[in-house]
Amino acid sequence: MNKVTLGLVFLVVLLGFLLLTTDNGCMSSKAGQPALKVPSAFGDQNSTVTVSASESRKYEANEFVTVAMLELRGRDKELLYKQLEVRRQAIFEQMNKLDIQNADIEQNSVDMRKEWSYDKGTRSLTGYVVSQSFAIRSSSRPVAAAAVAVLSAELDVEIERTSACLKGEDSLRKELVLLVGKKALDKAGSYAESVGGSLGKVISVSENGGNEGFAYGRTLSSVAKFNDYNEEAMLASIADSVSISASIHLVVELLQ
């Protein structure tokens, strides 16, 4: 047998051996474990649980803030400032009669602007306007309604709004945020447990909250100042409660 024949015989034997080995490997795979192992998702360091939680609570308002603007017009600046002082003192006296103390009335700075008239392109000074705003705090809705009624009767006073507020709001908001955080963690733990896992470290927390109930009473129109006010309607126009809400977006590591 020459070298060429021997080479062909060797190749045939080698091919047969390879085919036999492959068949045995396939049979072994079918009978035992899979040939390819898919990595477990829980083993991945990037596996996380992402949840959101929110809560909103309504509280009875315990403070009311009325914002009003005193405005006077005239041609004499010095006289206007003197008149403003007299009117300011009158407002304080009126509020004192309602048991609103001077300490509960916040005064902002006095503003002054010029008024002009125009005739055939010529501008002429017609006078001045001086104004000052006040934030008046009341401890109850009836007192706030009475303050609005008194101020609305003054022709040189404009009422901007009456707001329902909460004393100690920061403390209440903190309690709500802590509650929402625990709620989010409990939810994340339940999801992890449902797939046989557990929670690892907190990766990120984002918070979003707001004061939904910082409601404003209706602003009185100028016409209302010339009419007898309806006490019940005045009281109803002021909000009686404040809602505080908080929401948390939580991402936590998922372990197995």
Side-chain angles (χ1 to χ4, degrees), residues 209-254:
N211 187 341
E212 295 178 347
F214 203 69
Y216 298 105
R218 295 191 300 272
T219 300
L220 297 175
S221 66
S222 298
V223 176
K225 297 181 179 183
F226 298 96
N227 301 320
D228 293 334
Y229 82 99
N230 184 302
E231 184 176 357
E232 184 177 348
M234 189 77 71
L235 187 63
S237 70
I238 300 174
D240 62 354
S241 61
V242 177
S243 293
I244 300 177
S245 64
S247 63
I248 285 181
H249 186 70
L250 183 67
V251 180
V252 189
E253 184 181 17
L254 178 61

Side-chain angles (χ1 to χ4, degrees), residues 129-164:
V129 179
V130 293
S131 60
Q132 185 175 20
S133 63
F134 302 86
I136 303 168
R137 298 183 180 276
S138 309
S139 59
S140 69
R141 287 176 74 212
V143 173
V148 171
V150 170
L151 293 173
S152 65
E154 301 295 332
L155 298 179
D156 50 16
V157 176
E158 293 289 341
I159 301 173
E160 295 184 5
R161 62 182 180 273
T162 297
S163 307

Side-chain angles (χ1 to χ4, degrees), residues 3-131:
K3 293 182 179 181
V4 176
T5 304
L6 287 174
L8 290 174
V9 172
F10 176 75
L11 289 175
V12 171
V13 173
L14 179 61
L15 180 61
F17 176 76
L18 292 174
L19 290 174
L20 181 62
T21 302
T22 303
D23 289 341
N24 288 337
C26 292
M27 291 177 62
S28 176
S29 297
K30 293 177 182 179
Q33 298 296 323
L36 295 177
K37 182 179 179 182
V38 179
S40 171
F42 296 113
D44 188 352
Q45 293 182 352
N46 295 325
S47 296
T48 59
V49 178
T50 301
V51 297
S52 294
S54 62
E55 189 77 22
S56 181
R57 289 188 175 182
K58 182 178 289 187
Y59 302 89
E60 183 178 353
N62 52 22
E63 187 174 63
F64 302 85
V65 180
T66 298
V67 178
M69 174 76 74
L70 172 62
E71 188 173 85
L72 301 174
R73 286 177 165 80
R75 300 183 66 89
D76 188 326
K77 288 190 294 184
E78 297 298 328
L79 180 59
L80 275 178
Y81 280 114
K82 290 179 181 179
Q83 291 175 338
L84 185 68
E85 176 62 25
V86 173
R87 294 293 297 115
R88 180 168 51 233
Q89 291 302 321
I91 289 175
F92 274 82
E93 291 174 4
Q94 289 173 315
M95 296 300 102
N96 291 163
K97 292 178 181 179
L98 299 175
D99 291 330
I100 298 175
Q101 305 304 313
N102 290 357
D104 296 323
I105 304 175
E106 177 184 334
Q107 304 180 69
N108 291 326
S109 300
V110 176
D111 293 324
M112 189 275 289
R113 70 175 188 272
K114 298 176 182 179
E115 287 193 323
W116 303 89
S117 66
Y118 294 86
D119 183 22
K120 298 179 181 180
T122 302
R123 186 176 73 163
S124 301
L125 180 66
T126 59
Y128 302 90
V129 179
V130 293
S131 60

Side-chain angles (χ1 to χ4, degrees), residues 140-197:
S140 69
R141 287 176 74 212
V143 173
V148 171
V150 170
L151 293 173
S152 65
E154 301 295 332
L155 298 179
D156 50 16
V157 176
E158 293 289 341
I159 301 173
E160 295 184 5
R161 62 182 180 273
T162 297
S163 307
C165 308
L166 283 173
K167 293 180 180 178
E169 182 176 335
D170 290 341
S171 177
L172 293 173
R173 188 179 299 279
K174 181 179 179 180
E175 291 179 7
L176 192 62
V177 169
L178 291 174
L179 175 65
V180 174
K182 184 178 184 304
K183 186 177 179 180
L185 277 174
D186 289 344
K187 182 188 289 188
S190 297
Y191 278 118
E193 185 179 353
S194 70
V195 293

